[in-house]
Amino acid sequence: MSRTGSAGTGAESHWDAIVLGGGMAGASCAWALAQHRRVLLLEREAHCGYHATGRSAALFSEYFGNRTVRALTAASRPFFEAPPVGFASVPLVAPRGVVALATQDDVDCGRIDTALAAGHHAHQPARVIGLDAALSRCPVIDPRPYRCAVWRPSVMDIDVDALHQSYLRGIRAAGGRVQTAAGVEWAEGDASGHWTVHTVAGRFHTPCLVNAAGAWADEAARQAGVATIDLVPKRRTAVIVDLPDGMPGQPALASWPMVTDLADTFYFKPEAGRLLVSPSDETPMPPCDVQPEEWDVAVAVDRLQQATTLAVRRVAHRWAGLRSFVADGSPVLGAAGNAPGFFWAAALGGYGIQIAPAVGQALASLVLTGGLPDHFVERGLSAAALSPDRPTLAEAPCERLEALP
């Protein structure tokens, strides 16, 4: 692929690479490619980041996800802590930490050992703490249902908007283009891997088409005549609740960690003087502008009240987002074996913000060289394990959307 061709502002233009989707995955991939090639980012909505990117819990944690997710997260840490000079005008991350509460059942069934093993290779390993130590970090925890807690010290908050907007600015600064309100109608590729993308904003040509369309990634593949990956979007609900009168506000509240449980049935964290709460729901559903269900909102409030001494008086805000998964739970990155010039950057499973730097770097390397960077391989990652053609996509169990009521 050469860095040639002219990209006009009219209805038809040629690009070295076209990325479908202006959320965090698409923005990170387009930015990484734009350091080497002329890139067009196409977004169907009027603004980039309208869906999952704008509805994230904004957390960086090397303790969450399967081995592949944790490796991609660890590979992203250097970028978050020391981004390229001039990339962002504010820090991208800030310390937070997570207290994961453990019941007697968690102790008996070995869930604590599993959590410690998952966090062993984090920047700072997870460790068990007593309930007094948990209460010293978050005084509203009700200790009665719990036996102890797991402390995950190196978890950080992510400034999602700063990261996303920096990627978009960087694409433009490198000579690329971000085209919004450009929903794809269809795409067609030839045997040589040349693609023509037909959108409501015009027709665009490229030898490299990257599918980073989030919950719509399978739909984008169908529009291009490419085999799908059986992507399953799942709804995740979040609410913002007011603290009761007399509770500590800023700055005391701002220092609280995120609090969850080892069974992953809820979490809460400080959010601008209030609490962000989620019931950690995962309801399979088709891609859409998802909205919260009243039941899930009620469950979020109830689980907060069961785990703390708080009594929620008002839900100030509520929303939902879609987290997209494939059967084996790992991201899908790389070339489609049945479609020359077509690449996937999808199925990030709710970890898309925290692994965005690594996703962009990996995708760009796979496009440009056919392989992953050496430091990714040293972390145990491989192109085969991320490939859309890996056998585990078909072997592992997964909900099928057509089977849903």
Side-chain angles (χ1 to χ4, degrees), residues 69-87:
V69 169
R70 295 197 303 271
L72 288 167
T73 304
S76 296
R77 176 181 278 273
F79 188 100
F80 279 117
E81 294 185 324
V85 175
F87 178 79

Side-chain angles (χ1 to χ4, degrees), residues 1 24 49 80 93 124 189 232 272 393:
M1 190 190 311
M24 194 67 79
F80 279 117
V93 289
Q124 299 177 66
V232 178
L393 289 188

Side-chain angles (χ1 to χ4, degrees), residues 115-128:
L116 293 175
H120 179 69
H121 296 290
H123 186 66
Q124 299 177 66
R127 67 180 189 271
V128 175

Side-chain angles (χ1 to χ4, degrees), residues 130-210:
L131 292 177
D132 286 345
L135 281 163
S136 72
R137 292 169 168 85
C138 181
V140 298
I141 293 171
D142 183 348
R144 292 175 297 176
Y146 305 107
R147 174 73 180 276
C148 59
V150 172
W151 173 237
R152 295 163 172 159
S154 63
V155 172
M156 301 182 289
D157 284 337
I158 301 172
D159 189 328
V160 175
D161 186 64
L163 178 65
H164 190 224
Q165 293 302 318
S166 295
Y167 276 136
L168 297 177
R169 284 194 300 270
I171 294 164
R172 299 183 182 102
R177 188 162 114 208
V178 177
Q179 178 76 54
T180 57
V184 175
E185 296 174 327
W186 80 93
E188 50 192 344
D190 59 27
S192 67
H194 179 87
W195 289 89
T196 299
V197 183
H198 302 261
T199 80
V200 297
R203 186 169 61 179
F204 307 98
H205 306 274
T206 186
C208 173
L209 183 59
V210 179

Side-chain angles (χ1 to χ4, degrees), residues 33-55:
L33 281 169
Q35 310 312 303
H36 309 276
R37 300 289 187 262
R38 296 183 60 261
V39 178
L40 171 65
L41 179 65
L42 294 176
E43 166 56 45
R44 58 185 285 172
E45 304 291 354
H47 304 284
C48 291
Y50 174 74
H51 292 286
T53 295
R55 311 178 194 193

